[in-house]
Amino acid sequence: MPLRKLRRGKGLAIREGSVREARFEAGLTLEQVAAGQVSRAAIHAIETGRSRPTRSTLELIARLTQQPMSFFLASGEAFGEELSPSPLEADLLATRLEGLLYMGHEEEALRRAGEAMARQCAGPQKARLMLIAVDAHLRLSQAAQATPLIGLAMAIYEQRGDQYGVVECLDRDGYARLLRQDSGAPAVFQRAITECRQLDPCPWATLSRLLSHLGSWFVQAHDWPAAIETYREAVQVTDSISDLRRVGQMYGDLAAAHQQLGDLDEALRYAHKAVAFHEARADQHSIVRAENNLGMTLLRAGDHAGAEKHVRRALRLSEATGYQVGRVHVLLSLAETELSAGKVAEACSDAAAALEQATRLGEGMSAALAHRILGEAAAKQGDLPAVRRSFTAALEILGEGAHRERLIETKEAYSRALE
């Protein structure tokens, strides 16, 4: 009896019946689970609770039955030190997951980061995995899912006095707000930029990324001079173009800014470069945005056929990838393209679809633009009450946030519609 107690005291505490359950579900025999690496009797002893598996044995069982380690663990054991990977293992895993993100495999990176976090890495390693999961969520336009993880990672870095980590968390917080079209985004980015400049040595790549994200906010808010100035500063501190995705986004936003300022030649140059950068990475989400920007630049240049061609390609890609946020913007661009071509009914249909999605996703500025397009369409139909309803709704949304430039543009459009 003493010997039996000693054997049960070693190894991992697992949930009763979990190994047998996993083996039966996988349709394996005891011998097959043992796989020649442990004895059949050892697996039977684990199944009947007469002994506890070592970590290596449980990993073998998990691999062969295709179950996660958490499936077998008793309550609380997932947080035990025995299952915690070493700092080196955690860093190697994080590097592999960052590679998955770079290659555009967000879902896979998210799944594996979640599994790794369940194994309770040490503080900084766990915070790094959290930020990888955050990046995956943000690339999938899942700001709501990313926000709680940002707060948890920030708490770890602040507790350890790691200002580099704090800056990275602030960047993700600002970007999540940018996706939600939250007017608090620029203040978060400005704080992150200030703290980033104070670091010694200053991480120039991080500073460039922060500036490019702030530039994206200015584009979203239609503050074109500020967008161009911010992007120029971002380009000056960029020490490489290894991050093709970010460079492509910067070119796309520069195209949008130059387009609005009337410099169409420069806008087209940047728009084509943005598409080329994203095509090189086969980044479907970013290609949606770049094609949409190129289409709108062509529309401003008077090329209606070319504009519709690129916008419709962006719409097809957004539907194929399930990119909901991108689809809202593309529907708005398509509605603008159709309205300028005199296709009023089609423009109303696409603007209404964009309004429904923007409202559901909480995208205030996109909803305001949809109302504005519907108001302009109503003006072409001579429906004055509908003009007033649509523009009033747009102005109410823009009046709630710090969107001065868009507010001015909408008032000007309202005035033209009433005329």
Side-chain angles (χ1 to χ4, degrees):
M1 183 65 74
L3 177 61
R4 186 174 182 179
K5 286 185 178 180
L6 177 63
R7 291 173 63 195
R8 285 177 57 84
K10 292 181 178 180
L12 303 174
I14 61 173
R15 183 169 56 84
E16 185 178 349
S18 59
V19 173
R20 177 174 292 177
E21 181 184 343
R23 180 169 66 82
F24 283 172
E25 284 188 13
L28 300 175
T29 65
L30 288 169
E31 208 161 32
Q32 287 171 323
V33 173
Q37 298 187 39
V38 295
S39 69
R40 177 182 178 280
I43 299 298
H44 180 67
I46 292 168
E47 285 192 355
T48 55
R50 291 188 292 107
S51 70
R52 292 180 173 182
T54 63
R55 173 175 172 169
S56 60
T57 300
L58 189 59
E59 286 177 343
L60 170 68
I61 295 169
R63 186 171 66 254
L64 291 171
T65 60
Q66 298 185 335
Q67 294 285 358
M69 292 282 280
S70 57
F71 176 84
F72 303 96
L73 298 173
S75 176
E77 184 70 19
F79 302 99
E81 192 173 317
E82 281 188 275
L83 280 182
S84 299
S86 68
L88 178 58
E89 288 175 326
D91 285 339
L92 287 173
L93 174 61
T95 301
R96 293 191 192 101
L97 297 185
E98 286 166 349
L100 284 174
L101 281 180
Y102 183 80
M103 297 301 292
H105 302 307
E106 290 87 1
E107 296 281 4
E108 177 68 10
L110 190 58
R111 181 184 65 79
R112 293 178 61 181
E115 291 175 354
M117 284 188 286
R119 295 170 61 189
Q120 186 67 14
C121 303
Q125 284 78 27
K126 188 164 189 177
R128 184 179 175 189
L129 288 169
M130 285 178 179
L131 290 188
I132 291 171
V134 165
D135 288 341
H137 279 305
L138 294 179
R139 291 193 181 194
L140 294 169
S141 303
Q142 298 169 347
Q145 292 92 323
T147 301
L149 289 171
I150 296 170
L152 292 171
M154 175 83 85
I156 292 173
Y157 286 127
E158 286 179 335
Q159 185 178 22
R160 299 180 65 86
D162 185 341
Q163 285 305 111
Y164 287 89
V166 169
V167 167
E168 292 292 347
C169 290
L170 287 171
D171 180 32
R172 271 69 169 192
D173 182 25
Y175 195 76
R177 292 171 184 268
L178 177 66
L179 287 179
R180 297 196 306 267
Q181 301 183 346
D182 180 341
S183 59
V188 176
F189 285 134
Q190 292 286 11
R191 177 190 164 190
I193 289 168
T194 299
E195 295 194 16
C196 187
R197 291 186 189 279
Q198 293 172 352
L199 294 174
D200 185 19
C202 176
W204 298 108
T206 302
L207 180 58
S208 174
R209 179 178 3 111
L210 286 164
L211 288 164
S212 70
H213 288 166
L214 179 59
S216 293
W217 167 263
F218 288 133
V219 168
Q220 187 169 273
H222 286 197
D223 189 344
W224 310 114
I228 291 175
E229 180 182 352
T230 304
Y231 276 124
R232 283 177 177 166
E233 188 177 356
V235 170
Q236 288 175 355
V237 301
T238 300
D239 57 3
S240 75
I241 60 169
S242 58
D243 188 348
L244 298 181
R245 184 176 191 269
R246 182 158 52 87
V247 174
Q249 288 177 343
M250 290 167 63
Y251 282 147
D253 285 343
L254 277 168
H258 281 289
Q259 172 204 130
Q260 293 297 327
L261 292 175
D263 189 352
L264 295 180
D265 288 339
E266 194 74 352
L268 283 170
R269 185 171 72 86
Y270 279 122
H272 282 293
K273 289 180 73 172
V275 172
F277 267 80
H278 294 311
E279 292 279 11
R281 288 193 64 246
D283 185 338
Q284 299 301 304
H285 290 179
S286 296
I287 293 172
V288 169
R289 186 179 180 187
E291 285 281 8
N292 187 56
N293 286 344
L294 178 54
M296 295 308 291
T297 305
L298 290 168
L299 179 63
R300 301 290 184 265
D303 184 355
H304 289 79
E308 187 165 348
K309 170 188 171 185
H310 286 282
V311 172
R312 286 198 179 278
R313 187 194 175 208
L315 183 61
R316 288 194 302 273
L317 286 172
S318 69
E319 290 173 343
T321 59
Y323 187 27
Q324 293 300 312
V325 174
R327 190 167 186 271
V328 172
H329 297 156
V330 175
L331 282 170
L332 290 169
S333 297
L334 185 57
E336 283 194 61
T337 303
E338 290 164 339
L339 192 61
S340 69
K343 303 176 183 178
V344 180
E346 292 92 330
C348 286
S349 176
D350 287 324
L355 176 59
E356 185 276 326
Q357 289 196 38
T359 302
R360 177 165 48 81
L361 294 170
E363 294 187 16
M365 284 192 279
S366 294
L369 179 54
H371 280 300
R372 171 181 159 181
I373 294 171
L374 288 169
E376 291 171 334
K380 288 183 178 290
Q381 295 170 322
D383 187 347
L384 187 58
V387 170
R388 287 175 173 157
R389 283 196 305 272
S390 295
F391 274 99
T392 298
L395 292 170
E396 284 178 354
I397 293 171
L398 294 173
E400 296 171 0
H403 311 307
R404 181 174 175 274
E405 294 299 326
R406 285 209 177 192
L407 187 61
I408 293 171
E409 291 172 7
T410 303
K411 287 181 177 180
E412 291 174 348
Y414 190 13
S415 177
R416 289 194 299 270
L418 290 176
E419 291 171 1

